[in-house]
Amino acid sequence: MVTASDFRNGVTIEVDGKVCQVIEFQHVKPGKGAAFVRTKLKDIINGGVIETTYRPTEKFPQAHIERKDMQYLYNDGDLYNFMDTESYEQIAVNQDIVGDSMKFVKENEMCKVNSYNGSVFAIEPPLFVELEITETEPGFKGDTATGATKPATVETGAQVSVPLFVNQGDVIKIDTRTGEYLSRV
């Protein structure tokens, strides 16, 4: 059990049946009245943010989130299949849970699978991936001072904006958090 006075950034707790992570907290001791803890909690499952206050003596059960490195095997319709590289156990995760997080991930790459009480709620792709461009307009050298970009399709089928000098067949580095082009490899 965690009391409100023990809140620290990053602590995960259960509040009203929801799994929340403390983003911000502030202990407030007004001149008149009882002390309280002003908090900002992020619902880990659906991503919503809750701002609320608690008495310092209120207790909450601590939620243990398991983050496991797993290898992405293949996509089978609406299911994405992952394998634990230590136990060789395979799990299938529904498209609704995965969302857009796998659009830059190739087969056989490592991802973090986040679960709570045995149920998977999120997939974290690697921060940076290197992918080959399968389709884009021909590139040309010259006026790049403007920072002009063009659309390109990478080998996973995702669309990325790349500089004009990048050609089809080039391998590029992409930040999976923002979907932005970083550099040529």
Short mmCIF file of all heavy atoms in Angstrom, two decimals, residues 130-174:
data_model
loop_
_atom_site.label_atom_id
_atom_site.label_comp_id
_atom_site.label_asym_id
_atom_site.label_seq_id
_atom_site.Cartn_x
_atom_site.Cartn_y
_atom_site.Cartn_z
N GLU A 130 15.59 1.45 -38.49
CA GLU A 130 16.18 1.70 -39.79
C GLU A 130 15.39 0.92 -40.82
O GLU A 130 15.30 -0.31 -40.76
CB GLU A 130 17.65 1.27 -39.80
CG GLU A 130 18.51 2.09 -38.86
CD GLU A 130 19.94 1.62 -38.79
OE1 GLU A 130 20.29 0.63 -39.48
OE2 GLU A 130 20.71 2.24 -38.04
N LEU A 131 14.78 1.66 -41.77
CA LEU A 131 13.92 1.04 -42.77
C LEU A 131 14.32 1.50 -44.17
O LEU A 131 14.81 2.62 -44.36
CB LEU A 131 12.45 1.42 -42.52
CG LEU A 131 11.85 0.93 -41.21
CD1 LEU A 131 10.47 1.54 -41.00
CD2 LEU A 131 11.77 -0.57 -41.18
N GLU A 132 14.07 0.63 -45.15
CA GLU A 132 14.37 0.96 -46.54
C GLU A 132 13.17 1.62 -47.18
O GLU A 132 12.02 1.25 -46.92
CB GLU A 132 14.71 -0.33 -47.30
CG GLU A 132 15.10 -0.10 -48.73
CD GLU A 132 15.45 -1.39 -49.46
OE1 GLU A 132 15.79 -2.38 -48.79
OE2 GLU A 132 15.35 -1.39 -50.70
N ILE A 133 13.43 2.62 -48.03
CA ILE A 133 12.35 3.31 -48.73
C ILE A 133 11.98 2.47 -49.95
O ILE A 133 12.83 2.15 -50.78
CB ILE A 133 12.79 4.73 -49.14
CG1 ILE A 133 13.00 5.56 -47.89
CG2 ILE A 133 11.77 5.36 -50.06
CD1 ILE A 133 13.42 6.97 -48.13
N THR A 134 10.70 2.12 -50.06
CA THR A 134 10.25 1.30 -51.17
C THR A 134 9.64 2.15 -52.28
O THR A 134 9.62 1.72 -53.43
CB THR A 134 9.20 0.27 -50.72
OG1 THR A 134 8.11 0.95 -50.09
CG2 THR A 134 9.81 -0.72 -49.76
N GLU A 135 9.16 3.34 -51.96
CA GLU A 135 8.53 4.15 -52.98
C GLU A 135 8.64 5.63 -52.63
O GLU A 135 8.28 6.04 -51.53
CB GLU A 135 7.04 3.77 -53.10
CG GLU A 135 6.31 4.45 -54.21
CD GLU A 135 4.86 3.99 -54.27
OE1 GLU A 135 4.57 2.82 -53.98
OE2 GLU A 135 4.03 4.85 -54.60
N THR A 136 9.16 6.42 -53.58
CA THR A 136 9.21 7.88 -53.43
C THR A 136 9.53 8.48 -54.79
O THR A 136 9.96 7.76 -55.71
CB THR A 136 10.25 8.33 -52.39
OG1 THR A 136 10.09 9.72 -52.14
CG2 THR A 136 11.66 8.03 -52.82
N GLU A 137 9.34 9.76 -54.93
CA GLU A 137 9.69 10.43 -56.17
C GLU A 137 11.21 10.48 -56.28
O GLU A 137 11.90 10.47 -55.27
CB GLU A 137 9.13 11.86 -56.16
CG GLU A 137 7.62 11.90 -56.08
CD GLU A 137 7.11 13.32 -55.84
OE1 GLU A 137 7.90 14.27 -55.94
OE2 GLU A 137 5.92 13.44 -55.56
N PRO A 138 11.73 10.58 -57.50
CA PRO A 138 13.20 10.66 -57.64
C PRO A 138 13.75 11.89 -56.93
O PRO A 138 13.13 12.94 -56.92
CB PRO A 138 13.41 10.78 -59.16
CG PRO A 138 12.15 10.28 -59.76
CD PRO A 138 11.06 10.53 -58.78
N GLY A 139 14.91 11.71 -56.31
CA GLY A 139 15.52 12.81 -55.56
C GLY A 139 16.39 13.67 -56.45
O GLY A 139 16.80 13.27 -57.52
N PHE A 140 16.66 14.89 -55.99
CA PHE A 140 17.58 15.77 -56.71
C PHE A 140 18.33 16.63 -55.71
O PHE A 140 17.83 16.94 -54.64
CB PHE A 140 16.85 16.62 -57.75
CG PHE A 140 15.80 17.52 -57.17
CD1 PHE A 140 16.11 18.82 -56.79
CD2 PHE A 140 14.49 17.08 -57.02
CE1 PHE A 140 15.14 19.65 -56.26
CE2 PHE A 140 13.52 17.92 -56.50
CZ PHE A 140 13.84 19.20 -56.12
N LYS A 141 19.55 17.00 -56.10
CA LYS A 141 20.37 17.85 -55.25
C LYS A 141 20.07 19.30 -55.58
O LYS A 141 19.61 19.62 -56.66
CB LYS A 141 21.85 17.56 -55.48
CG LYS A 141 22.25 16.19 -55.04
CD LYS A 141 23.70 15.93 -55.30
CE LYS A 141 24.06 14.55 -54.84
NZ LYS A 141 25.26 14.03 -55.41
N GLY A 142 20.37 20.16 -54.62
CA GLY A 142 20.18 21.58 -54.92
C GLY A 142 19.57 22.32 -53.77
O GLY A 142 20.09 22.31 -52.66
N ASP A 143 18.45 22.95 -54.02
CA ASP A 143 17.82 23.87 -53.08
C ASP A 143 17.26 23.12 -51.87
O ASP A 143 16.08 22.78 -51.84
CB ASP A 143 16.73 24.65 -53.80
CG ASP A 143 16.12 25.72 -52.90
OD1 ASP A 143 16.76 26.07 -51.90
OD2 ASP A 143 15.00 26.17 -53.18
N THR A 144 18.11 22.87 -50.87
CA THR A 144 17.64 22.19 -49.66
C THR A 144 17.63 23.13 -48.47
O THR A 144 17.38 22.72 -47.36
CB THR A 144 18.52 20.97 -49.33
OG1 THR A 144 19.86 21.40 -49.20
CG2 THR A 144 18.40 19.91 -50.41
N ALA A 145 17.92 24.40 -48.69
CA ALA A 145 17.95 25.37 -47.58
C ALA A 145 16.55 25.61 -47.03
O ALA A 145 16.39 26.03 -45.89
CB ALA A 145 18.55 26.68 -48.05
N THR A 146 15.54 25.33 -47.83
CA THR A 146 14.17 25.56 -47.38
C THR A 146 13.66 24.45 -46.47
O THR A 146 12.64 24.59 -45.84
CB THR A 146 13.21 25.67 -48.58
OG1 THR A 146 13.27 24.45 -49.32
CG2 THR A 146 13.59 26.84 -49.46
N GLY A 147 14.36 23.33 -46.45
CA GLY A 147 13.91 22.20 -45.64
C GLY A 147 12.72 21.50 -46.27
O GLY A 147 11.87 20.94 -45.58
N ALA A 148 12.64 21.53 -47.58
CA ALA A 148 11.50 20.93 -48.30
C ALA A 148 11.52 19.42 -48.12
O ALA A 148 12.58 18.80 -48.04
CB ALA A 148 11.57 21.30 -49.77
N THR A 149 10.34 18.83 -48.06
CA THR A 149 10.22 17.39 -47.91
C THR A 149 9.28 16.83 -48.95
O THR A 149 8.52 17.56 -49.59
CB THR A 149 9.70 17.01 -46.51
OG1 THR A 149 8.41 17.59 -46.33
CG2 THR A 149 10.65 17.47 -45.42
N LYS A 150 9.32 15.51 -49.09
CA LYS A 150 8.42 14.80 -50.00
C LYS A 150 7.95 13.54 -49.30
O LYS A 150 8.61 13.04 -48.38
CB LYS A 150 9.14 14.47 -51.31
CG LYS A 150 10.34 13.54 -51.12
CD LYS A 150 11.05 13.29 -52.42
CE LYS A 150 12.27 12.39 -52.19
NZ LYS A 150 12.98 12.10 -53.41
N PRO A 151 6.80 13.00 -49.68
CA PRO A 151 6.32 11.77 -49.04
C PRO A 151 7.09 10.55 -49.55
O PRO A 151 7.52 10.51 -50.70
CB PRO A 151 4.85 11.70 -49.46
CG PRO A 151 4.78 12.48 -50.72
CD PRO A 151 5.84 13.55 -50.63
N ALA A 152 7.27 9.58 -48.65
CA ALA A 152 7.94 8.34 -49.01
C ALA A 152 7.27 7.20 -48.26
O ALA A 152 6.77 7.37 -47.15
CB ALA A 152 9.42 8.40 -48.65
N THR A 153 7.25 6.02 -48.88
CA THR A 153 6.72 4.82 -48.25
C THR A 153 7.88 3.92 -47.88
O THR A 153 8.76 3.66 -48.72
CB THR A 153 5.77 4.07 -49.22
OG1 THR A 153 4.77 4.98 -49.67
CG2 THR A 153 5.10 2.91 -48.52
N VAL A 154 7.90 3.45 -46.61
CA VAL A 154 8.97 2.56 -46.16
C VAL A 154 8.51 1.12 -46.28
O VAL A 154 7.35 0.84 -46.56
CB VAL A 154 9.41 2.90 -44.71
CG1 VAL A 154 10.08 4.26 -44.66
CG2 VAL A 154 8.25 2.83 -43.76
N GLU A 155 9.42 0.18 -46.02
CA GLU A 155 9.14 -1.25 -46.25
C GLU A 155 8.01 -1.82 -45.40
O GLU A 155 7.45 -2.85 -45.73
CB GLU A 155 10.41 -2.08 -46.09
CG GLU A 155 11.06 -1.98 -44.74
CD GLU A 155 12.41 -2.67 -44.70
OE1 GLU A 155 12.45 -3.91 -44.81
OE2 GLU A 155 13.41 -1.97 -44.56
N THR A 156 7.65 -1.15 -44.30
CA THR A 156 6.52 -1.64 -43.50
C THR A 156 5.18 -1.10 -44.01
O THR A 156 4.14 -1.45 -43.50
CB THR A 156 6.68 -1.22 -42.03
OG1 THR A 156 6.73 0.21 -41.96
CG2 THR A 156 7.92 -1.83 -41.41
N GLY A 157 5.23 -0.20 -45.00
CA GLY A 157 4.01 0.38 -45.57
C GLY A 157 3.64 1.73 -44.99
O GLY A 157 2.67 2.35 -45.41
N ALA A 158 4.39 2.22 -44.02
CA ALA A 158 4.09 3.51 -43.39
C ALA A 158 4.59 4.65 -44.26
O ALA A 158 5.54 4.52 -45.02
CB ALA A 158 4.74 3.57 -42.01
N GLN A 159 3.91 5.81 -44.13
CA GLN A 159 4.29 7.02 -44.87
C GLN A 159 5.16 7.90 -43.99
O GLN A 159 4.88 8.08 -42.81
CB GLN A 159 3.03 7.81 -45.26
CG GLN A 159 2.19 7.13 -46.31
CD GLN A 159 2.74 7.34 -47.70
OE1 GLN A 159 3.43 8.30 -47.97
NE2 GLN A 159 2.46 6.39 -48.58
N VAL A 160 6.23 8.47 -44.56
CA VAL A 160 7.16 9.34 -43.85
C VAL A 160 7.49 10.51 -44.77
O VAL A 160 7.59 10.35 -45.98
CB VAL A 160 8.47 8.58 -43.50
CG1 VAL A 160 9.43 9.47 -42.73
CG2 VAL A 160 8.19 7.33 -42.74
N SER A 161 7.68 11.69 -44.18
CA SER A 161 8.18 12.83 -44.95
C SER A 161 9.69 12.83 -44.88
O SER A 161 10.27 12.80 -43.80
CB SER A 161 7.64 14.14 -44.36
OG SER A 161 6.25 14.22 -44.56
N VAL A 162 10.33 12.86 -46.07
CA VAL A 162 11.79 12.81 -46.14
C VAL A 162 12.30 14.01 -46.94
O VAL A 162 11.56 14.58 -47.74
CB VAL A 162 12.28 11.49 -46.79
CG1 VAL A 162 11.90 10.30 -45.94
CG2 VAL A 162 11.75 11.34 -48.20
N PRO A 163 13.58 14.39 -46.75
CA PRO A 163 14.15 15.48 -47.56
C PRO A 163 14.19 15.10 -49.04
O PRO A 163 14.13 13.93 -49.41
CB PRO A 163 15.57 15.63 -47.00
CG PRO A 163 15.53 15.00 -45.66
CD PRO A 163 14.50 13.93 -45.72
N LEU A 164 14.33 16.11 -49.91
CA LEU A 164 14.29 15.90 -51.35
C LEU A 164 15.41 15.02 -51.89
O LEU A 164 15.24 14.35 -52.90
CB LEU A 164 14.33 17.26 -52.07
CG LEU A 164 13.15 18.19 -51.77
CD1 LEU A 164 13.37 19.54 -52.43
CD2 LEU A 164 11.85 17.58 -52.23
N PHE A 165 16.57 14.98 -51.20
CA PHE A 165 17.72 14.23 -51.72
C PHE A 165 17.63 12.73 -51.46
O PHE A 165 18.46 11.97 -51.95
CB PHE A 165 19.03 14.78 -51.16
CG PHE A 165 19.13 14.75 -49.66
CD1 PHE A 165 19.50 13.59 -49.00
CD2 PHE A 165 18.81 15.87 -48.91
CE1 PHE A 165 19.58 13.56 -47.61
CE2 PHE A 165 18.89 15.84 -47.53
CZ PHE A 165 19.28 14.68 -46.88
N VAL A 166 16.66 12.26 -50.71
CA VAL A 166 16.54 10.83 -50.40
C VAL A 166 15.88 10.11 -51.58
O VAL A 166 14.90 10.59 -52.14
CB VAL A 166 15.70 10.63 -49.11
CG1 VAL A 166 15.47 9.16 -48.85
CG2 VAL A 166 16.41 11.27 -47.93
N ASN A 167 16.46 8.97 -51.96
CA ASN A 167 15.98 8.21 -53.12
C ASN A 167 15.36 6.88 -52.71
O ASN A 167 15.56 6.42 -51.59
CB ASN A 167 17.13 7.93 -54.09
CG ASN A 167 17.66 9.19 -54.71
OD1 ASN A 167 16.89 10.02 -55.18
ND2 ASN A 167 18.97 9.33 -54.70
N GLN A 168 14.67 6.27 -53.67
CA GLN A 168 14.11 4.94 -53.46
C GLN A 168 15.27 3.96 -53.28
O GLN A 168 16.27 4.04 -53.97
CB GLN A 168 13.26 4.56 -54.67
CG GLN A 168 12.53 3.26 -54.52
CD GLN A 168 11.52 3.07 -55.64
OE1 GLN A 168 10.94 4.03 -56.12
NE2 GLN A 168 11.33 1.83 -56.04
N GLY A 169 15.16 3.05 -52.29
CA GLY A 169 16.21 2.09 -52.01
C GLY A 169 17.14 2.53 -50.89
O GLY A 169 17.90 1.73 -50.38
N ASP A 170 17.10 3.82 -50.51
CA ASP A 170 17.91 4.30 -49.40
C ASP A 170 17.37 3.75 -48.08
O ASP A 170 16.17 3.53 -47.94
CB ASP A 170 17.90 5.83 -49.32
CG ASP A 170 18.71 6.49 -50.42
OD1 ASP A 170 19.40 5.77 -51.16
OD2 ASP A 170 18.64 7.73 -50.53
N VAL A 171 18.26 3.54 -47.12
CA VAL A 171 17.86 3.11 -45.78
C VAL A 171 17.91 4.36 -44.89
O VAL A 171 18.90 5.07 -44.87
CB VAL A 171 18.79 2.01 -45.23
CG1 VAL A 171 18.41 1.64 -43.81
CG2 VAL A 171 18.74 0.79 -46.14
N ILE A 172 16.81 4.62 -44.19
CA ILE A 172 16.73 5.81 -43.35
C ILE A 172 16.46 5.43 -41.90
O ILE A 172 15.95 4.35 -41.62
CB ILE A 172 15.64 6.79 -43.85
CG1 ILE A 172 14.25 6.14 -43.81
CG2 ILE A 172 15.96 7.32 -45.22
CD1 ILE A 172 13.10 7.08 -44.06
N LYS A 173 16.81 6.33 -40.99
CA LYS A 173 16.58 6.14 -39.56
C LYS A 173 15.35 6.97 -39.19
O LYS A 173 15.27 8.15 -39.53
CB LYS A 173 17.79 6.60 -38.76
CG LYS A 173 17.75 6.25 -37.30
CD LYS A 173 19.08 6.60 -36.66
CE LYS A 173 19.15 6.11 -35.24
NZ LYS A 173 20.45 6.38 -34.63
N ILE A 174 14.40 6.36 -38.46
CA ILE A 174 13.13 7.00 -38.10
C ILE A 174 12.95 6.95 -36.59
O ILE A 174 13.22 5.93 -35.95
CB ILE A 174 11.94 6.29 -38.79
CG1 ILE A 174 12.10 6.33 -40.30
CG2 ILE A 174 10.61 6.90 -38.37
CD1 ILE A 174 11.09 5.49 -41.04
#
